[in-house]
Amino acid sequence: MIERNLTDLARALATKRISSVELTRLYLDRISRHNPQLNAFITVDPAASLAQARAADERLARGDGGPLTGIPLAHKDIFCAKDWLTTCGSKMLSNFVSPYDATVIARFKAAGAVLLGKTNMDEFAMGSSNETSFYGAVRNPWQPECVPGGSSGGSAAAVAARLAPAATGTDTGGSIRQPAALCGLTGMKPTYGVVSRYGMIAFASSLDQAGPLGRSAADCAILLNAMAGFDERDSTSLDRPTEDYSRAINTASGARPLAGLKIGLPAEFFGDGCHPEVMKQVDAALAEYRSLGADTVAIRLPNMSLSVAAYYVIAPAEASSNLARFDGVRYGHRASDYRDLDDMYCKTRAQGFGAEVKRRILIGTYVLSHGYYDAYYLQAQRIRRLIANDFVEAFRQCDVIAGPTSPSTAFRLGEKAADPVQMYLSDIYTIAVNLAGLPGISIPCGLAGELPVGLQLIGNYFDEARLLDVAHRYQQASDWHLKSPTGFGECSAT
Ligand code: GLN
């Protein structure tokens, strides 16, 4: 069962070959067996999950199940889920039980999916290695001495080790695509505004976007169908007609399914800075794309090199404002010992936030302060516009853009923890996509040594269905997405 894709699981549930309770038990079993090693989950609540599974079984018995009814899914602990501990990987929220559901959670509930558990993550989604979590680092199932990537590292490790069939993540600068690449998964960041941010704890609101992490593009399309859609409770949610993101995938095609597709290769993605072993796999994937009928064209994204610098002004600026709400007054951690209100704020925030979060709050407060605002924040916003314009220009010459997702494979735990700039450069190929608000997907395209390599595909605004299809055609012709780390085989319950 654990090797099945979502379509097959739905079929097995519909034809009563397995019940949702049995399937949920199978995964809960695997979590209790393997999570002590991986630390991918912060919260598992078997009673709550099994109650949802029973409800799903009733729904299936009535014959009104959908594609996700009865399927257990793991959610990044950034999504508020009613009556579940929702920590965002922080001590600040280590006692916060959410009184409401995020829209993403509510939509999965309405689809009949089972909430299998809340996954570990970098504190407030700030990081690329999952090492900033208050709940400890997550290990990469492919190589336990290595990081799974971040900030959605718990979700990625859980799906890679098959402790969950699929999961959700959020991506502010690469946090879905980079862990997908480092764990051998398919992960998509949709166009900004396609998935509601309501109830998703805010890091940098103009960049944050939720998306699916799964084992294939076809699975991600099914998840995105449930996640996407207008939400009047999020002012940046886009009111567009509902789409079926699987529609292109489900269209039959011939031997050269991508004939006519133009793939842009930005010079800036193929220069120095990428590990040669990673580049080798990316080049091989591009050769496969050519044999599927696609043409590759050389393009430029001239302002790409400024993206990390602009991001590390804009994201901390927004974070410093968003995180001002965590003051110990209404919810979350509160220092136990204080003299007066000011002292309570200071001690609460000093105790509740970890070092990386504090660093971002300091940077953000600095770049927004009087006298520096024009020099840093405004300048970064201008660069953001130039980067978005680069993509507009690029999409006049091609349909999708391709390159590596991450400059390296999974690195060792602790390797970059002491050097924030090295850590920030992990997202060198992903950040520009968030600054422009575009959709991007990472798919497994090979192994370097024993570790997975990811290929990133970037689409134009609202081109998710095409992007998923372009990823899917490659997955039909290759089997990198079917590879799994060893040591997490079928357990006795199957
Ligand atoms: N690694 C980036 C950061 O630390 C991106 C994180 C994210 O996408 N949530 O900000």
Side-chain angles (χ1 to χ4, degrees):
M1 266 313 153
I2 60 168
E3 302 297 344
R4 305 258 172 112
N5 61 37
L6 294 183
T7 307
D8 288 346
L9 284 180
R11 200 170 297 131
L13 286 162
T15 55
K16 314 256 176 316
R17 252 180 301 144
I18 191 163
S19 70
S20 175
V21 167
E22 285 163 337
L23 191 62
T24 304
R25 277 222 175 89
L26 164 70
Y27 281 104
L28 287 169
D29 226 46
R30 293 183 55 76
I31 293 169
S32 63
R33 181 173 312 210
H34 298 292
N35 194 55
Q37 185 202 352
L38 297 174
N39 198 26
F41 285 85
I42 292 175
T43 304
V44 186
D45 183 343
S49 299
L50 289 168
Q52 289 188 11
R54 272 190 293 277
D57 280 333
E58 280 163 27
R59 190 165 155 182
L60 287 161
R62 288 198 305 272
D64 69 353
L68 288 171
T69 309
I71 296 183
L73 299 175
H75 296 297
K76 185 175 182 178
D77 207 18
I78 198 168
F79 294 102
C80 287
K82 191 172 176 353
D83 299 331
W84 285 70
L85 186 67
T86 298
T87 70
C88 219
S90 182
K91 177 174 181 180
M92 188 59 95
L93 290 175
S94 55
N95 60 1
F96 175 65
V97 176
S98 175
Y100 71 106
D101 280 329
T103 297
V104 163
I105 300 285
R107 282 179 170 270
F108 278 121
K109 239 185 212 175
V114 173
L115 203 174
L116 184 61
K118 306 288 295 291
T119 58
N120 205 341
M121 54 180 285
D122 278 300
E123 186 178 9
F124 285 105
M126 298 173 188
S128 303
S129 67
N130 221 115
E131 291 168 296
T132 72
S133 170
F134 173 64
Y135 295 89
V138 176
R139 288 175 183 273
N140 189 319
W142 291 84
Q143 173 49 262
E145 294 311 307
C146 290
V147 303
S151 64
S152 312
S155 285
V159 178
R162 289 152 294 152
L163 307 190
T168 53
T170 61
D171 192 313
T172 304
S175 281
I176 291 175
R177 290 159 288 156
Q178 186 255 16
L182 271 47
C183 288
L185 300 175
T186 303
M188 176 174 238
K189 180 203 98 72
T191 306
Y192 182 79
V194 160
V195 177
S196 169
R197 291 182 298 109
Y198 178 77
M200 186 177 110
I201 296 168
F203 162 14
S205 309
S206 76
L207 300 158
D208 298 343
Q209 186 63 193
L213 267 158
R215 300 190 61 209
S216 67
D219 281 3
C220 285
I222 292 169
L223 295 172
L224 190 58
N225 278 340
M227 297 172 82
F230 175 63
D231 180 5
E232 61 182 18
R233 287 177 299 185
D234 170 1
S235 62
T236 58
S237 168
L238 294 165
D239 196 356
R240 309 182 73 245
T242 333
E243 296 190 43
D244 173 8
Y245 293 103
S246 307
R247 66 183 185 275
I249 288 176
N250 291 338
T251 315
S253 64
R256 286 168 59 82
L258 298 179
L261 183 83
K262 274 201 189 135
I263 301 182
L265 307 179
E268 294 75 10
F269 281 18
F270 291 86
D272 296 341
C274 186
H275 196 285
E277 283 296 308
V278 170
M279 207 35 102
K280 204 169 123 191
Q281 303 306 320
V282 168
D283 283 338
L286 294 172
E288 181 67 46
Y289 268 112
R290 286 187 203 100
S291 73
L292 292 170
D295 289 320
T296 49
V297 291
I299 59 162
R300 295 293 309 269
L301 296 170
N303 294 290
M304 251 297 291
S305 61
L306 302 172
S307 62
V308 174
Y311 173 90
Y312 278 98
V313 172
I314 294 168
E318 294 185 22
S320 70
S321 164
N322 274 326
L323 271 57
R325 74 191 68 181
F326 301 107
D327 56 9
V329 175
R330 290 197 189 80
Y331 53 84
H333 173 74
R334 179 189 291 181
S336 53
D337 226 9
Y338 49 86
R339 283 190 312 278
D340 51 23
L341 185 61
D342 274 350
D343 194 38
M344 193 279 278
Y345 288 152
C346 290
K347 287 195 172 130
T348 294
R349 289 169 67 84
Q351 295 166 7
F353 292 136
E356 183 61 28
V357 173
K358 286 177 185 157
R359 183 174 11 243
R360 307 274 178 122
I361 293 173
L362 284 174
I363 297 171
T365 310
Y366 179 82
V367 300
L368 289 176
S369 55
H370 186 70
Y372 295 111
Y373 181 92
D374 290 3
Y376 296 108
Y377 184 71
L378 218 58
Q379 201 64 4
Q381 292 290 19
R382 291 194 178 111
I383 292 171
R384 182 177 190 170
R385 168 56 58 195
L386 293 176
I387 289 170
N389 289 347
D390 281 356
F391 281 109
V392 170
E393 192 51 46
F395 282 120
R396 292 205 173 102
Q397 300 157 54
C398 62
D399 305 306
V400 301
I401 295 171
T405 305
S406 164
S408 73
T409 53
F411 44 93
R412 293 175 82 76
L413 282 153
E415 190 179 316
K416 298 187 182 178
D419 186 347
V421 174
Q422 273 310 309
M423 190 70 91
Y424 296 171
L425 288 174
S426 304
D427 295 318
I428 191 161
Y429 302 125
T430 49
I431 275 179
V433 176
N434 300 72
L435 289 171
L438 292 165
I441 189 167
S442 179
I443 57 174
C445 71
L447 293 175
E450 285 163 8
L451 292 167
V453 173
L455 174 79
Q456 180 176 218
L457 299 166
I458 303 165
N460 212 338
Y461 299 106
F462 308 117
D463 227 359
E464 283 82 2
R466 162 144 61 178
L467 214 45
L468 286 158
D469 182 51
V470 171
H472 173 70
R473 301 299 163 187
Y474 175 80
Q475 293 184 334
Q476 281 190 312
S478 65
D479 62 358
W480 295 113
H481 64 296
L482 300 176
K483 302 226 181 292
S484 306
T486 53
F488 302 94
E490 295 271 347
C491 69
S492 52
T494 46

